[in-house]
């Protein structure tokens, strides 16, 4: 059993022999291409994590995205027969595949992908991106933006009921102002 408490751990390679992991009041970053396995040797596929038991306690974050961008990202596989996210615990990831027999997310626990879509002004290949202050999109139109409010957001795509793609980024707005004072 490994307990991470009030510290930060970043995994950039392979760890082996960790069957039970408890993360408490700290951040556990699993970088792209890393793996954690309960067996030795760690002959794991990249971005694959395998535990007998994983518990994310209060004030703890398990970050399974590292520095990945949506383009070309194959996702993360998490295997844990017993998986608990306690109140105040957070799992961050994109394109997650979780396999568990006893999977519990307590009230106040969180699995999130917020803010992990395409960068501002970027949309999936073949779709129009948002321009000058307009909103991003997924299964609906992005909001209008810009000084006139007429700049259109990203094109809608995907399915609101079974989301599988990353959200398109909204566009940044540039505003400049010139002031001419002749009488002070």
């Amino acid at each position: 059993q490994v307990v991470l408490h009030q510290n930060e751990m970043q995994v950039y390679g392979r760890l082996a022999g960790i069957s039970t992991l408890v993360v408490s009041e700290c951040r556990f970053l699993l970088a792209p291409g890393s793996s954690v396995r309960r067996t030795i040797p760690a002959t794991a596929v990249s971005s694959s994590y395998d535990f007998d038991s994983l518990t994310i306690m209060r004030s703890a974050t398990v970050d399974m995205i590292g520095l990945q961008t949506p383009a070309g990202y194959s996702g993360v596989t998490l295997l844990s027969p017993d998986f608990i996210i306690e109140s105040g615990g957070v799992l961050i990831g994109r394109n997650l595949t979780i396999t568990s027999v006893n999977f519990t997310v307590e009230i106040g626990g969180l699995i999130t992908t917020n803010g992990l879509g395409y960068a501002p002004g970027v949309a999936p290949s073949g779709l129009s991106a948002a321009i000058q202050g307009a909103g991003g999109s997924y299964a609906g139109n992005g909001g209008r933006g810009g000084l006139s409010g007429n700049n259109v957001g990203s094109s809608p795509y995907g399915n609101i009921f079974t989301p599988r793609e990353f959200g398109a980024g909204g566009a940044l707005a540039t505003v400049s102002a010139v002031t001419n004072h002749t009488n002070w």
Side-chain angles (χ1 to χ4, degrees):
Q1 178 175 351
V2 173
V3 177
L4 298 176
H5 181 68
Q6 294 185 333
N7 55 27
E8 179 173 315
M9 182 174 184
Q10 299 178 5
V11 178
Y12 288 92
R14 293 183 177 172
L15 287 178
I18 300 175
S19 62
T20 299
L21 177 63
V22 177
V23 183
S24 170
E25 297 183 24
C26 67
R27 181 170 178 249
F28 186 45
L29 171 70
L30 298 164
S34 66
S35 66
V36 179
R37 305 298 288 179
R38 61 182 136 176
T39 57
I40 299 175
T43 55
V45 177
S46 306
S47 301
S48 175
Y49 309 95
D50 181 8
F51 305 97
D52 287 329
S53 177
L54 173 60
T55 302
I56 304 172
M57 298 178 75
R58 64 181 168 82
S59 302
T61 300
V62 174
D63 184 339
M64 302 188 94
I65 62 158
L67 303 173
Q68 284 287 14
T69 58
Y73 182 55
S74 61
V76 171
T77 300
L78 174 62
L79 304 162
S80 182
D82 292 307
F83 185 10
I84 300 170
I85 301 175
E86 294 183 354
S87 182
V90 179
L91 173 64
I92 302 172
R94 60 166 60 113
N95 200 7
L96 293 172
T97 299
I98 299 172
T99 302
S100 181
V101 176
N102 300 308
F103 184 35
T104 304
V105 179
E106 293 181 354
I107 294 173
L110 179 66
I111 298 174
T112 184
T113 60
N114 286 347
L116 301 179
Y118 287 91
V122 178
S125 178
L127 297 175
S128 62
I131 59 171
Q132 294 187 347
S137 70
Y138 179 68
N141 290 316
R144 293 185 176 271
L147 293 176
S148 66
N150 291 324
N151 294 337
V152 296
S154 303
S155 300
Y157 61 98
N159 185 315
I160 194 169
F161 300 108
T162 56
R164 301 218 186 281
E165 300 88 8
F166 301 106
L172 301 174
T174 303
V175 178
S176 61
V178 176
T179 305
N180 186 2
H181 292 284
T182 55
N183 296 323
W184 288 92

